[in-house]
Amino acid sequence: MNARAGGTEAAPVVVHPPSGTGGRRVTVRGQILGLAHADADVVEFLRQAGLPDADGLLDDPEWVKWRGGQAHEYEAA
């Protein structure tokens, strides 16, 4: 994946705000990968999407955008 595909600066991976019941939806270019309850879940979703070294990308803003709440926090909103 190229974080700057189409000439945009948007990160291809989005970790959405924590839900009311806990967990965060994870999407890649708008496609839902799943509901993460920990960083390990996000890494596994990204690995399944073809990014074997995804654990090193979680804090890279060119790859991952954390929306709402604090990064790496998954508790209910």
Side-chain angles (χ1 to χ4, degrees):
M1 277 189 235
N2 182 348
R4 296 175 189 186
T8 66
E9 294 293 325
V13 179
V14 177
V15 181
H16 296 267
S19 72
T21 57
R24 297 174 84 144
R25 185 169 34 107
V26 179
T27 60
V28 173
R29 291 192 167 88
Q31 179 180 352
I32 298 171
L33 299 183
L35 185 67
H37 292 276
D39 285 351
D41 296 334
V42 178
V43 169
E44 180 59 17
F45 295 152
L46 298 180
R47 186 193 65 76
Q48 290 177 8
L51 294 167
D53 297 324
D55 55 336
L57 301 177
L58 293 184
D59 292 313
D60 184 341
E62 288 190 22
W63 281 95
V64 178
K65 168 72 175 165
W66 294 84
R67 287 193 183 155
Q70 296 293 318
H72 311 286
E73 292 185 10
Y74 298 85
E75 291 81 31

